[in-house]
Amino acid sequence: MLLKDKVVIVSGIGPGLGHELALEAAQQGAKLAICARTASKLDAAEQEIRDASLDTPILKVPTDIADKSQCQNLVAKTIEAYGRIDALINSAYNPGAFDLVENADLDGWRAAMEVNLYGTMALTLEVVPHMKKQGGGAIVMINTMVTRRPLQTQAGYGASKAALASATQHLALELGPYNIRVNSTYMGWMWGPPVEGYMQQQAEATGVSVEDQKAAVAQNIPLRVIPEDGDCAKAAIFLASDYARAITGAALDVNGGEYLPH
């Protein structure tokens, strides 16, 4: 198991990738601390893990990462419960307001920045001293393909994640001497509850079936399929594990090849 007996914090627990990250970490033997703003989402994630017949220790801490004091509380409770933090997977995000740049409500951009950059950094900086003290750790940022391939109406979200990408590179440089690895996964389309719900809404509004929408998206992906969110989660788990102990500052594209770096 890739994370056997490691203590892993996963932020942004919710239907889709958040649940899959927690489930996969549990399947790989981790001791979990999970957070989301809504306690019911944490309960649902715990139930999913128990339904998989896993007896993983699970610490649930409702947390808004945009509030520094709540980040401090999460980390303090994790240390109190487990004594260390081996990995942090930053999955919490705010999508911002979807609109063309020329029509942008910059308050929506600020809201996205508060979570996607400042909140993520606040939680990360709470974890760093503990990782230094224990001799190392792994931090994984869940980023987005939107920073690679711009999509109309997602500029605010993309800008906040692009800022996080820059901060991540600086963190990797500065924390490397302490054996703390900092890497990113760049997610594209992921098949799971959020995308399924979106496509169902589109089907009702436009009359184009979910299957036809999926096929249209898949045509632009070299693997010709929208990746499952559970498969995307595995990439983040890999970067959190000792299998990636020689990797830091990496930007791993997890999108079926829809973006091909060169």
Side-chain angles (χ1 to χ4, degrees), residues 118-132:
Y118 297 119
T120 297
M121 289 301 299
L123 181 53
T124 297
L125 295 181
E126 289 299 322
V127 164
V128 165
H130 298 285
M131 289 185 172
K132 280 187 174 182

Side-chain angles (χ1 to χ4, degrees), residues 9 11 65 68 71-72 74-75 85 87-91 115-132 138-142 164 167-168 170-172 175 180-183:
I9 296 177
S11 73
I65 67 166
K68 181 179 178 180
C71 293
Q72 292 171 334
L74 168 62
V75 172
I85 298 168
L88 167 64
I89 302 177
N90 282 305
S91 183
V115 174
N116 302 341
L117 176 63
Y118 297 119
T120 297
M121 289 301 299
L123 181 53
T124 297
L125 295 181
E126 289 299 322
V127 164
V128 165
H130 298 285
M131 289 185 172
K132 280 187 174 182
I139 299 167
V140 182
M141 309 294 194
I142 305 300
L164 177 62
T168 300
H170 286 82
L171 278 172
L175 298 180
I180 301 172
R181 300 180 293 101
V182 191
N183 294 292

Side-chain angles (χ1 to χ4, degrees), residues 133-149:
K133 183 178 180 180
Q134 70 199 25
I139 299 167
V140 182
M141 309 294 194
I142 305 300
N143 213 300
T144 173
M145 189 178 69
V146 170
T147 65
R148 317 283 226 186
R149 292 185 59 187

